[in-house]
């Protein structure tokens, strides 16, 4: 049962993001002002953090600093960088979380290094063989009691060659996350395939489809196709990391292309420009409801500790929201809920 | 007349000057509604900032101490405020309140909100009656101009600030001419000394501590009175058991815990406040037997939490360098918070 008063410490790896430590520090500091139960543990260069803190309001009673002298840059190769830099901020932060100094971790740094540091420090939840990176994608349909215009997709890159077992555990993990974060008590779960029929897709997807039908407490709706992702046919879409990553990048590409086309149209004809101007408030509204910053970041599910990977371009607001999401998952015992889901009798 | 009646009481060795609203008392008067509610509150309804009452009691218990309170609250609230202090077990030596009715009747509307023209002469007059060797510690908050007024007062007494600068400050703060004359007259009567050791600013508005850096290391912004008591212990004003009593009050009455206290401790270290010896003395005090500490146990957890916060910082942060206060660059701080020149965004 969630206890909203219980103090929860979230570790923030403040180094290595595109906007530098100041935005991370600002976001974490904001959390200490408006959420009485969340404590922030800032991990990174103490002098840099001190400088960033001097520019922002914070509540010292709910904020601590842990010095880490180095960090993994976005351009570095994760495994080599972690080997060379044992005191890199992401590694130190993951270890602090593992030993209980904080209960979840947020970072906007090098994704590979983050995943690797977590994999080396955290334990997999009993019943989970591989972790999954989940992300939200804006959809036509809304989801859960909060009417979120997003669905959850996992895995989008952590486990490239998932087995049927992995896909089943991803489905359970995704459903648990949607229940807690989107306040969706009975989320619909689907497998991403090349057809809606149960026998469509590679053998691991066909097998996962069969097994998911018998998982109790899971509202499995069968297979969906790529086109169903933006439609929001399911609350949770499950796939392996290779497919998920390709899908995600393609969807991002489509989004960017649409924007480019709109810019082209704006320049090309006065009539089109007028049309776009008339639609501008609608575009603003769409931008508002599909604003990824309100979701903070992508959780890595499957470990006993939660890690939220914030976008490298995250500003303070996104970081604060990532911290809130992490705290919500912790207070609702996400890892325990996943474990229970995996142990549920068929 | 007996011999003891003829002997003067021992002169104070230390003077602690406190503001009331937002420094000692948790007060909200940002809106008219809050102002009315504050004015109508009974003594027992008023709440002290966690740890403040215990801190004052512990400071008084050190002996040869004078507690002087200067508040912007109206004189009509004297009875309620005195009653509240009595309920908290706080014995004061001076309680000066603002005669706003008189200001109103005389049409001195700038004086209603102005702080410099009110507090500065009161502080100087009180100093005039104090022994030259008595040292002072001042407590204010970040809601108005306390850091500015207290620093100016300290530098006026020590003659670190020149008369033209004081004139300029008083002009910028729109102090009435008769108050200017009063301030200058009192200042000249005070024998030069350097009595102000610390100025604590309670961060009621959570203003970033770095905003007070221009006042130098004498001004220590604090997020709570556990922080103030740690610094006072480092300065030799309090003992370790006294600091623990402040912490106990905060734990018991305001929901503080090991995490908030150890974070507060680390915050001071990050700002370069040297607390190494304090940590050692607190450790010894915590290890000693005593019923007082029962609510703070288990002691190993406390020690581990504080040790962890020290270790987490790596190398110690050097203390901030002493600096002269450039009052002319801080003139905006002398004006009331609602003053146009103060609220105007910088650079505009």
């Amino acid at each position: 049962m969630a206890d909203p008063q219980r103090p929860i410490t979230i570790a923030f790896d403040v180094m290595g993001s595109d906007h530098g430590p100041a935005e991370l520090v600002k976001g974490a500091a904001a959390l200490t002002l408006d959420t009485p139960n969340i404590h922030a543990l800032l991990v990174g260069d103490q002098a840099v953090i001190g400088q960033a803190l001097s520019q922002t309001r914070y509540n010292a009673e709910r904020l601590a600093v842990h010095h880490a002298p180095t960090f993994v840059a976005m351009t570095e190769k994760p495994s080599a960088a972690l080997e060379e830099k044992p005191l890199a901020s992401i590694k130190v932060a993951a270890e602090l979380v593992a030993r209980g100094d904080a209960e979840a971790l947020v970072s906007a740094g090098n994704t590979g290094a983050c995943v690797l540091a977590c994999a080396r420090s955290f334990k997999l939840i009993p019943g989970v063989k591989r972790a999954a990176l989940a992300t939200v994608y804006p959809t036509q349909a809304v989801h859960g009691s909060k009417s979120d215009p997003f669905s959850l997709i996992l895995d989008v890159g952590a486990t490239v060659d998932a087995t049927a077992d992995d896909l089943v555990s991803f489905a359970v993990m995704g459903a648990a996350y949607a229940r807690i974060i989107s306040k969706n008590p009975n989320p619909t779960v689907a497998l991403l395939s090349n057809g809606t029929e149960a026998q469509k897709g590679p053998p691991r997807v066909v097998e996962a489809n069969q097994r998911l039908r018998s998982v109790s407490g899971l509202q499995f709706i069968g297979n969906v196709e790529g086109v169903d992702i933006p439609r929001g046919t399911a609350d949770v879409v499950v796939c392996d990391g290779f497919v998920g990553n390709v899908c995600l990048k393609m969807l991002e590409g489509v989004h960017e292309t649409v924007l480019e086309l709109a810019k082209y149209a704006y320049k090309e004809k006065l009539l089109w420009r007028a049309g776009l101007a008339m639609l501008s408030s609608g575009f603003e509204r769409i931008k508002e409801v599909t604003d990824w910053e309100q979701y903070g970041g992508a959780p890595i599910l499957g470990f006993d500790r939660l890690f939220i990977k914030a976008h490298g371009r995250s500003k303070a607001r996104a970081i604060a929201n990532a911290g809130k999401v992490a705290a919500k998952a912790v207070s609702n015992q996400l890892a325990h809920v996943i474990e229970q889901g995996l142990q549920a009798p068929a | 007349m007996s011999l003891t009646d003829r002997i003067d009481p021992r002169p104070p060795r230390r003077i602690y000057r406190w503001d009331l609203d937002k420094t000692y008392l948790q007060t909200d008067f940002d809106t008219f509604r809050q102002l009315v509610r504050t004015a109508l509150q009974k003594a027992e309804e008023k709440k002290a900032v966690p740890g403040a009452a215990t801190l004052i009691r512990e400071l008084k218990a050190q002996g040869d101490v004078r507690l002087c309170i200067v508040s912007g609250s109206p004189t009509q609230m004297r009875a309620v405020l005195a009653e509240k202090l009595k309920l908290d077990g706080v014995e004061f030596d001076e309680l000066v309140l603002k005669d706003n009715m008189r200001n109103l009747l005389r049409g001195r509307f700038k004086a209603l909100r102005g702080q410099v023209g009110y507090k500065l002469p009161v502080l100087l007059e009180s100093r005039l009656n104090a022994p030259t060797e008595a040292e002072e510690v001042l407590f204010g908050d970040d809601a108005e101009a306390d850091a500015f007024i207290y620093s100016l007062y300290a530098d006026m007494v020590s003659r670190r600030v020149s008369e033209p600068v004081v004139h300029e400050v008083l002009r910028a703060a729109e102090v009435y001419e008769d108050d200017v004359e009063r301030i200058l007259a009192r200042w000249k009567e005070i024998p030069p000394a350097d009595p102000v050791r610390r100025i604590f600013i309670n961060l009621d508005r959570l203003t970033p501590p770095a905003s007070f850096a221009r006042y130098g290391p004498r001004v220590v912004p604090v997020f709570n009175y556990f922080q103030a008591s740690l610094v006072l212990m480092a300065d030799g004003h309090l003992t370790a058991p006294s600091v623990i009593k402040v912490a106990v009050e905060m734990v018991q009455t305001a929901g503080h815990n090991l995490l908030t206290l150890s974070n507060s401790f680390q915050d001071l270290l990050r700002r370069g406040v040297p607390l190494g010896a304090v940590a050692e003395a607190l450790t010894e005090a915590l290890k000693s037997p005593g019923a007082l500490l029962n609510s703070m146990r288990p002691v190993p957890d406390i020690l581990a939490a504080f040790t962890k916060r020290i270790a987490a910082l790596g190398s110690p942060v050097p203390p901030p360098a002493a600096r002269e206060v450039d009052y002319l660059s801080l003139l905006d701080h002398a004006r009331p918070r609602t003053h146009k020149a103060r609220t105007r965004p910088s650079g505009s």
Side-chain angles (χ1 to χ4, degrees), chain A residues 46 57-58 61 65 67 101, chain B residues 205 224 266 308 312-313 317:
Chain A
Q46 189 213 124
R57 288 173 74 233
Y58 66 96
E61 293 170 355
V65 173
H67 178 61
D101 285 357
Chain B
R205 290 171 185 263
N224 53 53
Q266 197 205 44
K308 197 184 277 181
L313 287 181
V317 178

Side-chain angles (χ1 to χ4, degrees), chain A residues 226-285:
Chain A
V227 70
D228 291 304
I229 297 175
R231 280 182 188 158
T233 307
D235 299 322
V236 178
V237 177
V238 175
C239 55
D240 66 39
F242 177 75
V243 172
N245 197 273
V246 169
C247 266
L248 190 69
K249 296 281 164 63
M250 194 201 72
L251 290 166
E252 282 176 1
V254 169
H255 180 72
E256 281 170 19
T257 306
V258 168
L259 284 178
E260 285 304 314
L261 284 172
K263 280 182 195 166
Y264 165 78
Y266 191 82
K267 287 179 190 163
E268 196 66 13
K269 278 191 181 180
L270 186 64
L271 190 63
W272 291 355
R273 188 182 300 181
L276 284 168
M278 286 165 76
L279 286 170
S280 63
S281 63
F283 288 146
E284 279 303 312
R285 176 75 186 127

Side-chain angles (χ1 to χ4, degrees), chain A residues 7 9 33 39 41 46 53-67 101, chain B residues 205-206 208-210 223-224 256 259-260 263-264 266-267 270 308-309 312-315 317:
Chain A
T9 302
L33 297 176
H39 292 243
L41 177 59
Q46 189 213 124
L53 278 176
S54 72
Q55 313 288 324
T56 191
R57 288 173 74 233
Y58 66 96
N59 187 340
E61 293 170 355
R62 298 192 207 118
L63 186 143
V65 173
H66 194 104
H67 178 61
D101 285 357
Chain B
R205 290 171 185 263
L206 298 174
F223 288 88
N224 53 53
H256 278 270
L259 211 48
T260 60
N263 286 348
S264 303
Q266 197 205 44
D267 177 65
R270 288 200 307 271
K308 197 184 277 181
R309 288 290 182 257
L313 287 181
S315 54
V317 178

